Amino acid sequence: MKVMKGGVKRAIIGVCAGFMNGLFGSGGGALVVPASRKFLGMDAHKAHASAIAIMLPMSAVSAVMYSVKTKPALIPALLVSAGGVLGGWIGAKVMTRLSGNTLRKIFAAFILAAAIKSFI
Amino acid sequence: MSELILMLAGGLIAGVIAGMGIGGGAILIPFLCIFAGMDQRTAQCINLLYFIPTGIIAVIRHIKNKKIDKEMVKGMALYGLVSTAAGAFLALAIDQEWLRRLFGVFLLAVGLHELLKKDEGKDNDNARNINRGERNGTA
């Protein structure tokens, strides 16, 4: 990747993240943050902050396109958001590094179980 | 009624883990499908909608703290928007069963990445603490 210019790298990461955002309705951040750290040498905080700014217009485009074809999702989205705000607050208050690492593994296990479930 | 509670619970769990840097969508979308009985596309749509207000709040805070790299945003967002539309078009065009399986591949990658990642040591503490402040801002 060293031979590529920064602009080309950014374009490639952006295109991949956008495609994931549209196809999976998520996941752009999971790609942008590690990729921009690894290939562009961004520090973690700036990568995370900038990733959100990048994902925002993508998510808006995807959400509008999805809304045409999915079941009405506004009320569930409001409920999920209310839970999300509360969860973010709880996470910031009670999470210690140790419990964070343990929880991380538990969630990873859940994600893997869900992945396996989707194949059977 | 119980579905409404499950939606709240799903958001709550996603909110907690978004602060930990794992993509909230990798938890929220399968949670909504498995426990709240939603179809894949609706769950994905909810995750997108959920990200918009929380993302706006996070971005405003990051602009104030000058943590947004303008070059990175410009260089990625413009190209990304075209492929976003293409991705969304594909997600709406293909059979939901196929979308669910494709999403399973994505989950497998995210899950393995998280599971095999080393525990966060001192090096990442700073970022973690800052991430806590951002909590909901990870899609």
Side-chain angles (χ1 to χ4, degrees), chain A residues 37-60:
Chain A
R37 290 184 69 185
K38 190 166 182 193
F39 300 122
L40 300 169
M42 301 279 297
D43 78 77
H45 189 200
K46 270 203 164 176
H48 191 100
S50 308
I52 297 168
I54 293 160
M55 310 286 307
L56 209 48
M58 291 178 179
S59 297

Side-chain angles (χ1 to χ4, degrees), chain A residues 64-77:
Chain A
V64 169
M65 286 178 71
Y66 272 65
S67 298
V68 176
K69 220 177 166 178
T70 57
K71 289 176 191 157
L74 206 57
I75 302 286

Side-chain angles (χ1 to χ4, degrees), chain B residues 4-80:
Chain B
L4 301 186
I5 292 167
L6 282 167
M7 286 172 200
L8 262 172
L12 196 123
I13 295 167
V16 170
I17 70 144
M20 293 163 50
I22 310 175
I27 290 281
L28 183 61
I29 293 168
F31 185 95
L32 291 176
C33 288
I34 295 169
F35 298 114
M38 275 182 200
D39 63 81
Q40 181 71 28
R41 271 199 283 264
T42 306
Q44 290 186 191
C45 184
I46 288 170
N47 187 57
L48 289 163
L49 290 171
Y50 160 69
F51 179 65
I52 293 171
T54 48
I56 288 173
I57 292 166
V59 164
I60 290 170
R61 191 166 47 234
H62 290 316
I63 290 173
K64 274 187 192 153
N65 295 332
K66 296 190 167 49
K67 281 293 171 191
I68 307 259
D69 187 299
K70 285 198 189 107
E71 207 183 14
M72 179 174 154
V73 175
K74 272 190 216 153
M76 290 186 192
L78 284 178
Y79 295 99

Side-chain angles (χ1 to χ4, degrees), chain A residues 10-11 13-16 18-27 32 36-37 40 42 44-63 65-67 69-71 73-74 76-77 79-92 95-97 100-101 103-105 107-112 114-115 117-120, chain B residues 4 7-8 11-13 15-17 20 22 25-30 34-35 38-39 41-42 44-52 55-56 59 62 67-69 71-73 75-76 79-81 83-85 87-92 99-108 111-112 114-115 117 119-120 124-125 127-128 130-132 134-138:
Chain A
R10 279 191 285 275
I13 296 170
V15 166
C16 295
F19 191 72
M20 281 181 76
N21 180 286
L23 184 58
F24 297 138
S26 65
V32 169
S36 59
R37 290 184 69 185
L40 300 169
M42 301 279 297
H45 189 200
K46 270 203 164 176
H48 191 100
S50 308
I52 297 168
I54 293 160
M55 310 286 307
L56 209 48
M58 291 178 179
S59 297
V61 168
S62 297
M65 286 178 71
Y66 272 65
S67 298
K69 220 177 166 178
T70 57
K71 289 176 191 157
L74 206 57
L79 278 167
V80 169
S81 302
V85 170
L86 195 62
W89 183 79
I90 292 170
M95 205 71 78
T96 65
R97 201 201 312 165
N101 278 327
L103 260 183
R104 195 179 278 274
K105 301 290 181 216
F107 285 129
F110 170 79
I111 292 170
L112 285 173
K117 192 178 179 295
S118 65
F119 295 121
I120 50 175
Chain B
L4 301 186
M7 286 172 200
L8 262 172
L12 196 123
I13 295 167
V16 170
I17 70 144
M20 293 163 50
I22 310 175
I27 290 281
L28 183 61
I29 293 168
I34 295 169
F35 298 114
M38 275 182 200
D39 63 81
R41 271 199 283 264
T42 306
Q44 290 186 191
C45 184
I46 288 170
N47 187 57
L48 289 163
L49 290 171
Y50 160 69
F51 179 65
I52 293 171
I56 288 173
V59 164
H62 290 316
K67 281 293 171 191
I68 307 259
D69 187 299
E71 207 183 14
M72 179 174 154
V73 175
M76 290 186 192
Y79 295 99
L81 280 176
S83 58
T84 301
F89 184 81
L90 186 63
L92 298 175
L99 184 60
R100 205 167 61 88
R101 283 187 201 130
L102 273 177
F103 190 78
V105 176
F106 163 68
L107 285 183
L108 201 63
L112 284 177
E114 276 307 322
L115 201 67
K117 202 159 71 175
D119 282 355
E120 293 191 336
N124 285 330
D125 272 2
R128 261 183 72 74
I130 295 159
N131 278 346
R132 280 182 201 163
E134 290 160 3
R135 47 227 199 222
N136 297 315
T138 313

